[in-house]
């Protein structure tokens, strides 16, 4: 592993120098080599932490690097709009979940992260762009975590299809109302989604009948 790390470090330095020289020769007005350089720097660092089995420390170090990189980019090119805040939350969730370990698989943690995600992006939505409620999109995505985890633990797959269909339907109705209230288009995807719980129910029902027939 030591040889792999040395190879990765040497290869990263050589490639960064090559990209940097190419950048300043061909397009000095646009410093683009820093973007692939970030990935190249993370390559030997990741190998080092993995070789030492320091997975939690790796998540912290990489998160700090990514957040710092985004903050610098934001400050240099668009200081009037703090767009890096949109990416900070999911990046910081990585080391937090790593330190939680097995607890991260619990429904309680899923509900906490679901609530904090909705609150975080709702605050950003209200603060920076209150003209459109875009926070409904990350809210819709994060709600799948506790919903899927709960029904997976209970093995209630038919019930999951029902509640998931309701969630999808509410999402499409909400998007329809806030985006294009003059056109009622939400009924089309909702109609398609309704086939999911219907097919799940008949699959389980048919399976039970087949099982009962075999037993008798």
């Amino acid at each position: 592993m030591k040889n792999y790390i040395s190879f990765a470090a040497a290869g990263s330095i050589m490639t960064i120098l090559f990209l940097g020289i190419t950048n300043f020769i061909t397009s000095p007005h646009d410093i683009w080599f820093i973007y692939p350089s970030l990935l190249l720097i993370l390559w030997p660092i990741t190998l080092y932490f993995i070789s030492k089995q320091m997975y939690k420390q790796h998540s912290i170090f990489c998160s700090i690097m990514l957040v710092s990189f985004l903050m610098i980019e934001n400050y240099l090119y668009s200081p009037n709009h703090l767009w890096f805040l949109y990416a900070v939350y999911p990046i910081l969730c990585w080391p937090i979940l790593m330190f939680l370990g097995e607890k991260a698989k619990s429904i309680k943690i899923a509900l906490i992260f679901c609530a904090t995600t909705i609150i975080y992006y709702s605050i950003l939505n209200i603060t920076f762009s209150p003209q459109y409620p875009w926070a409904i999109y990350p809210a819709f995505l994060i709600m799948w975590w506790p919903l899927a985890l709960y029904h997976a633990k209970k093995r209630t797959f038919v019930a999951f299809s029902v509640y998931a269909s309701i969630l999808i339907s509410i999402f499409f109705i909400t998007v329809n109302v806030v985006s294009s209230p003059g056109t009622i288009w939400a009924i089309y995807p909702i109609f398609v989604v309704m086939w999911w719980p219907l097919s799940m129910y008949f699959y389980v029902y048919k399976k039970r009948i087949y099982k009962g027939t075999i037993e008798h």
Side-chain angles (χ1 to χ4, degrees):
M1 180 58 73
K2 185 178 180 180
N3 292 332
Y4 284 118
I5 296 172
S6 300
F7 170 78
S12 296
I13 293 172
M14 181 178 66
T15 307
I16 290 171
L17 289 174
F18 171 77
L19 293 175
I21 294 171
T22 303
N23 188 174
F24 285 108
I25 291 175
T26 59
S27 53
H29 56 281
D30 183 21
I31 305 176
W32 51 260
F33 85 98
I34 59 175
Y35 303 108
S37 296
L38 176 65
L39 297 177
L40 290 167
I41 292 171
L42 290 176
W43 178 22
I45 291 173
T46 299
L47 286 177
Y48 171 78
F49 280 112
I50 290 176
S51 67
K52 300 293 184 180
Q53 296 186 348
M54 301 168 63
Y55 305 114
K56 295 178 181 178
Q57 293 83 348
H58 173 247
S59 64
I60 294 175
F61 185 85
C62 290
S63 297
I64 293 173
M65 279 196 64
L66 290 172
V67 171
S68 301
F69 176 78
L70 293 175
M71 289 177 65
I72 294 170
E73 280 289 297
N74 194 168
Y75 176 76
L76 292 176
Y77 297 105
S78 52
N80 295 325
H81 179 54
L82 302 178
W83 53 261
F84 80 95
L85 292 174
Y86 299 103
V88 166
Y89 178 82
I91 292 174
L92 294 181
C93 284
W94 177 20
I96 293 173
L97 291 172
M98 288 293 293
F99 273 90
L100 287 173
E102 290 296 319
K103 293 181 180 179
K105 300 178 182 179
S106 67
I107 297 173
K108 181 181 178 180
I109 295 299
L111 289 171
I112 291 173
F113 271 86
C114 181
T116 53
T117 302
I118 294 172
I119 292 171
Y120 179 82
Y121 284 107
S122 295
I123 292 173
L124 289 182
N125 192 171
I126 295 170
T127 305
F128 295 113
S129 52
Q131 62 274 14
Y132 183 79
W134 55 261
I136 57 178
Y137 300 104
F140 169 70
L141 293 176
I142 197 64
M143 284 180 184
W144 284 90
W145 181 8
L147 180 65
L149 185 62
Y150 173 81
H151 288 287
K153 287 180 177 292
K154 298 291 184 179
R155 300 187 65 82
T156 51
F157 304 113
V158 176
F160 171 68
S161 66
V162 173
Y163 288 113
S165 299
I166 293 173
L167 175 62
I168 295 172
S169 299
I170 293 173
F171 170 73
F172 279 119
I173 292 171
T174 305
V175 174
N176 193 166
V177 171
V178 300
S179 300
S180 51
T183 305
I184 303 176
W185 54 262
I187 57 175
Y188 304 112
I190 290 173
F191 173 74
V192 175
V193 169
M194 288 299 104
W195 284 92
W196 180 15
L198 183 64
S199 60
M200 287 291 295
Y201 172 77
F202 278 102
Y203 171 75
V204 173
Y205 179 72
K206 184 178 180 180
K207 187 176 181 181
R208 287 176 180 174
I209 292 177
Y210 179 72
K211 184 178 180 182
T213 304
I214 292 176
E215 289 176 353
H216 286 84

